[in-house]
Amino acid sequence: GVQTCALPICEDERIHSSYFRSDSSKVGNHIIYYNENQMLEKIDYFGKNGNLKRSITMDYWPGKSEVQKTIRDSIGIILSRRIIPWK
């Protein structure tokens, strides 16, 4: 089925979004976290039952103009780690 996204709900420095099929059954959701500088810090992805599926964290290195993007599975095992130019 087609996935659609509900309007995000802002709560402090977090954005909650949920995904639904065309028959209104929940597919999953994610939470986006921002740091005190309003920069993306972490995204947690959850399945339809609320179980954590994957996390993406961003570690900024301003002195080097780089950001490290780390992807972890549901139990915290690192699946991918990349250093990306930033700014």
Side-chain angles (χ1 to χ4, degrees):
V2 176
Q3 295 182 10
T4 58
C5 181
L7 291 175
I9 302 169
C10 295
E11 182 180 286
D12 295 328
E13 290 157 346
R14 287 184 253 171
I15 297 175
H16 300 254
S17 294
S18 295
Y19 313 103
F20 299 89
R21 296 191 188 280
S22 57
D23 66 359
S24 297
S25 60
K26 187 172 183 178
V27 175
N29 66 293
H30 72 260
I31 302 173
I32 301 173
Y33 301 87
Y34 291 92
N35 63 22
E36 62 276 356
N37 297 320
Q38 299 297 312
M39 298 175 66
L40 177 62
E41 186 171 87
K42 183 178 179 183
I43 305 172
D44 288 333
Y45 293 93
F46 300 90
K48 64 182 176 183
N49 297 322
N51 49 328
L52 181 66
K53 294 289 189 180
R54 186 168 289 188
S55 290
I56 299 174
T57 55
M58 307 297 277
D59 296 304
Y60 297 92
W61 300 333
K64 294 184 177 183
S65 297
E66 297 174 337
V67 62
Q68 177 178 281
K69 177 182 176 182
T70 304
I71 301 174
R72 291 183 169 84
D73 70 7
S74 61
I75 59 171
I77 294 174
I78 294 173
L79 303 174
S80 170
R81 183 177 281 161
R82 292 181 29 199
I83 295 174
I84 305 164
W86 171 62
K87 278 195 176 182

